[in-house]
Amino acid sequence: VSCSDSLSISKTSLKKALYIYQRDEYDEGMQVHSTPIHIEDIEQYDDTVTATVLYNLGLTLVDHGRNDEALEYFDKSLAYCRKSESLTGEINPIAIFHNLGFCCYRLGKYDKAMHFYQQALVTVCEVLGRGELELAHTLNCMAVLYFHSSNSDVEKAMEMFEKSLEIQKRHLGARSKSVA
């Protein structure tokens, strides 16, 4: 890099910094909806909205590795989901049970995780009849827990893995990424 190239880079950097500084002066007026909704105030919304917001907060905490805190939000989301008239929308108890199970799994609480996946299984099979792919996902998660638990049941894990794989192949095709 020559001296003239270095000078050119410096001028470009300076122009960019000046632009960002000038733009930042107007940011305050652009952030009309930047005040967070407090969890205590969220109860004024309908149960489905509340369940969704709490669920999304739980997902955000999972993304940041804060599984203990995420458990609390998923648990609250489940309570609102159960109060809601529509249990078959985007936010449903199966997704919440899976996330509760996943958080417990990440925290090494395998028995508690299994409890949540069993609740998901019951919900898939009896309550909502959500379909075979939901069943396959739930069986797969339970198989992982059987495999990793202190009293590992490899036979049971393999049985569930195979059932899950069979269902996924049937619905997604043998060459699907999920099947792989």
Side-chain angles (χ1 to χ4, degrees):
V1 179
S2 70
C3 289
S4 62
D5 288 342
S6 180
L7 184 59
S8 160
I9 292 170
S10 296
K11 285 180 183 178
T12 304
S13 297
L14 181 62
K15 284 180 184 178
K16 185 175 180 181
L18 186 57
Y19 169 74
I20 290 171
Y21 171 76
Q22 289 171 337
R23 187 196 65 207
D24 285 348
E25 288 181 32
Y26 301 102
D27 281 357
E28 184 178 339
M30 297 295 291
Q31 294 179 316
V32 179
H33 298 286
S34 63
T35 306
I37 299 171
H38 297 283
I39 298 302
E40 298 81 9
D41 299 340
I42 207 166
E43 294 172 1
Q44 70 184 340
Y45 299 101
D46 105 339
D47 293 336
T48 304
V49 171
T50 304
T52 302
V53 170
L54 291 167
Y55 178 83
N56 289 339
L57 286 167
L59 288 178
T60 301
L61 289 165
V62 166
D63 286 345
H64 289 90
R66 295 165 56 184
N67 296 297
D68 278 326
E69 294 171 80
L71 279 171
E72 294 175 35
Y73 286 97
F74 290 129
D75 194 45
K76 289 177 184 177
S77 177
L78 182 60
Y80 280 100
C81 187
R82 286 180 168 157
K83 284 173 45 178
S84 173
E85 293 295 316
S86 172
L87 293 177
T88 58
E90 278 299 308
I91 184 79
N92 69 68
I94 299 166
I96 299 170
F97 287 137
H98 270 256
N99 280 291
L100 285 164
F102 178 73
C103 288
C104 289
Y105 169 75
R106 296 283 280 299
L107 294 166
K109 300 175 181 178
Y110 298 143
D111 289 340
K112 198 169 182 182
M114 182 60 81
H115 168 76
F116 289 121
Y117 286 117
Q118 287 170 338
Q119 287 185 303
L121 185 62
V122 167
T123 307
V124 167
C125 295
E126 296 174 6
V127 179
L128 296 178
R130 295 288 290 192
E132 282 197 308
L133 282 177
E134 291 276 7
L135 175 62
H137 298 308
T138 303
L139 290 173
N140 188 71
C141 293
M142 291 174 75
V144 169
L145 285 171
Y146 275 117
F147 187 77
H148 288 295
S149 69
S150 57
N151 41 339
S152 180
D153 190 344
V154 177
E155 278 186 43
K156 184 116 176 146
M158 289 306 296
E159 179 184 320
M160 290 180 147
F161 279 136
E162 288 171 0
K163 179 69 175 168
S164 175
L165 182 61
E166 174 190 319
I167 294 168
Q168 289 192 42
K169 278 182 182 177
R170 188 169 51 248
H171 286 276
L172 303 173
R175 294 184 178 244
S176 163
K177 234 181 185 180
S178 295
V179 170

